Amino acid sequence: MESDSLKRSNWRFLVTAVVGGALVTVYAVAMPFIAPALRKVCLPFVPATSRQVENVVKMLRHRKGPLVDLGSGDGRIVIAAAKEGFPAVGYELNPWLVWYSRYRAWREGVHGSAKFYISDLWKMPQLEKKLELELEDGARVIACRFPFPCWTPDHTTGEGIDTVWAYDMGSCRRRERQA
């Protein structure tokens, strides 16, 4: 009788441990995807379409200098730019997407020229000023779906969700001085 009670007790402990571990795992995996939806400005992950990636690559032709992708998601644009020979950097809020992007860059052989960083750009005050101060004149900032509110794009291509805005740092600085 005591043996059966001990077995049931061990079984309950095991079930509790497995269920608890599963819940912690689900929370750890789901939270980076759910948390952005709980912000004042909801920015869910929406992968770049193949058309959008093509539009970005088209904007990079006949250029040199690094590329910075803000809200790089799963890294499609950064990886495509790196494949075209550009040193490219992606900033993304979701750590799972950053790790996945790093893996994809490694798998596709561009991990040397494609870098990804976890960064909450909404907590970064005056992002436009920061980029103007830190990026070289040859740098081009590409924005997909969310243009910079204070900059005038040098080039725009695509329509609707495939719209891409390109900001050349040299032009942004010249316009700033003229204003």
Side-chain angles (χ1 to χ4, degrees):
M1 190 76 136
E2 194 174 302
S3 173
D4 287 341
S5 175
L6 186 59
K7 285 181 183 176
R8 269 187 253 141
S9 176
N10 285 342
W11 181 249
R12 288 182 191 142
F13 177 74
L14 179 63
V15 168
T16 302
V18 168
V19 169
L23 289 173
V24 167
T25 301
V26 167
Y27 175 81
V29 170
M31 206 50 208
F33 293 95
I34 294 170
L38 302 175
R39 302 160 91 51
K40 283 184 187 175
V41 178
C42 178
L43 295 174
F45 167 61
V46 180
T49 63
S50 56
R51 178 69 171 205
Q52 193 174 40
V53 174
E54 290 169 14
N55 288 340
V56 170
V57 170
K58 183 168 64 172
M59 288 220 185
L60 294 174
R61 291 209 175 97
H62 311 295
R63 293 196 40 83
K64 59 182 180 173
L67 172 120
V68 177
D69 186 9
L70 308 174
S72 59
D74 63 1
R76 296 171 193 215
I77 290 172
V78 172
I79 291 168
K83 285 181 175 180
E84 294 288 321
F86 290 88
V89 178
Y91 293 96
E92 173 59 43
L93 171 65
N94 187 324
W96 293 103
L97 290 173
V98 171
W99 296 326
Y100 179 67
S101 299
R102 290 173 180 163
Y103 166 73
R104 286 192 59 215
W106 171 79
R107 190 181 74 202
E108 298 195 29
V110 294
H111 59 281
S113 57
K115 302 294 181 196
F116 298 92
Y117 300 100
I118 301 168
S119 183
D120 186 348
L121 298 173
W122 295 105
K123 290 183 179 175
M124 195 181 290
Q126 301 178 342
L127 177 61
E128 293 168 356
K129 283 287 180 206
K130 179 178 177 49
L131 292 173
E132 285 175 4
L133 291 172
E134 295 181 10
L135 294 177
E136 300 171 9
D137 277 350
R140 174 172 270 187
V141 177
I142 303 288
C144 302
R145 295 198 179 108
F146 303 102
F148 280 94
C150 297
W151 283 352
T152 302
D154 291 285
H155 306 281
T156 304
T157 189
E159 298 176 354
I161 64 168
D162 294 326
T163 303
V164 174
W165 297 268
Y167 306 90
D168 296 330
M169 294 315 303
S171 299
C172 288
R173 287 189 184 101
R174 280 191 296 279
R175 280 192 291 273
E176 178 82 15
R177 279 178 265 178
Q178 291 171 352

